[in-house]
Amino acid sequence: MRAVCLIPARGGSKRIPRKNVRPFMGRPMIHWAIRAARAAGCFERIIVSTDDEEIAAQARSVGAEIPFMRPGALSDDHATTAQVVHHALEQLAAAPSGAPDRLCTLYATAPFVRAEDLARGAELLETHDFAVSVTRYAFPVQRALRITPEGSLDMIAPEHLLTRSQDLEETWHDAGQFYWGRTSAWRSSPSPLCARSAPIELPRWRVVDIDTEEDWALAEAMARGGLLEPVPSASR
């Protein structure tokens, strides 16, 4: 089976400007995702989908390909991951080598992604259409609170007011690292978060979705604590 890693990395991020190439622990952020994909050993190609020449240059410098540039219509705040995947598959299908059998979407801002997790996702596609990185919620979602317009607290599920946390069902959420999928499934499904998806369970202590400066500061603290995998000396 031919497998491609697709890393979406647009240039116009708003909440953290230029976050895909902003230095993170001495390297442009996107380098961490690319080096994990290379170390996984399960991809025929590692492709970055971007509209930005600087991001493209940084991706090429560590071994990724930029066989096409992403159009502006798919590079704004409203473009979805699925739209970016479909565009990439169309571009690859039109090339002489054709579309891959499997595609893994790996986010550029996932510095704690590990090669063995990516490889595990490839294995799970033997029995599932998708494989998605997930992690446990740190607190029971059934005990969630909202703050009302009047400034008071209100339980979202008041029937669980007195339920012990150990008696509540454990829940999981998307870890925001990567999504494996068969090409046929990407083309026919609106989302990899479906009943045909296999979970790749990650511990909470190495999951952070970097969307804000607060997230970035947390990720740096985690990295300083030793959660980044060592960079092989042969890596560029």
Side-chain angles (χ1 to χ4, degrees):
M1 292 289 182
R2 297 172 54 241
V4 163
C5 179
L6 178 71
I7 302 177
R10 68 188 183 96
S13 52
K14 298 292 195 302
R15 287 178 289 184
I16 306 179
R18 310 296 298 167
K19 71 175 181 178
N20 292 315
V21 289
R22 178 171 165 175
F24 182 82
M25 303 304 290
R27 291 171 173 265
M29 174 61 85
I30 196 171
H31 284 198
W32 296 101
I34 294 172
R35 64 129 194 166
R38 292 176 61 189
C42 54
F43 298 113
E44 181 180 77
R45 304 173 70 181
I46 301 169
I47 292 171
V48 171
S49 170
T50 187
D51 61 323
D52 187 274
E53 291 293 348
E54 181 187 1
I55 293 174
Q58 286 291 351
R60 291 189 186 100
S61 74
V62 287
E65 299 179 49
I66 317 292
F68 52 83
M69 296 296 286
R70 197 197 308 180
L74 292 179
S75 302
D76 61 17
D77 294 340
H78 302 288
T80 67
T81 297
Q83 288 174 322
V84 173
V85 169
H86 292 163
H87 172 260
L89 288 174
E90 290 174 1
Q91 297 298 310
L92 294 173
S97 58
D101 302 295
R102 298 172 178 184
L103 182 142
C104 177
T105 304
L106 169 61
Y107 286 141
T109 50
F112 304 114
V113 66
R114 296 194 174 180
E116 61 264 30
D117 295 329
L118 292 169
R120 173 63 177 149
E123 296 171 359
L124 287 169
L125 287 195
E126 296 297 325
T127 54
H128 293 77
D129 284 352
F130 292 104
V132 178
S133 60
V134 298
T135 194
R136 292 178 178 86
Y137 275 101
F139 189 83
V141 296
Q142 301 90 337
R143 300 293 299 278
L145 302 171
R146 65 165 62 91
I147 298 178
T148 69
E150 295 75 31
S152 301
L153 290 178
D154 183 32
M155 283 199 74
I156 291 177
E159 66 272 22
H160 292 300
L161 175 63
L162 300 179
T163 305
R164 300 184 308 167
S165 59
Q166 60 264 43
D167 294 332
L168 295 170
E169 180 183 1
E170 189 170 52
T171 54
W172 301 73
H173 64 85
D174 179 358
Q177 288 194 358
F178 61 91
Y179 313 97
W180 268 101
R182 300 181 185 188
T183 296
S184 58
W186 280 116
R187 286 173 169 159
S188 63
S189 176
S191 170
L193 302 178
C194 63
R196 303 189 310 277
S197 296
I200 302 167
E201 301 173 13
L202 307 182
R204 287 199 310 268
W205 48 265
R206 60 179 175 89
V207 171
V208 58
D209 190 8
I210 304 177
D211 285 324
T212 66
E213 290 291 347
E214 183 180 21
D215 298 333
W216 190 284
L218 173 60
E220 287 186 328
M222 292 165 61
R224 287 193 293 269
L227 294 187
L228 282 174
E229 289 189 299
V231 178
S233 59
S235 294
R236 290 177 286 171

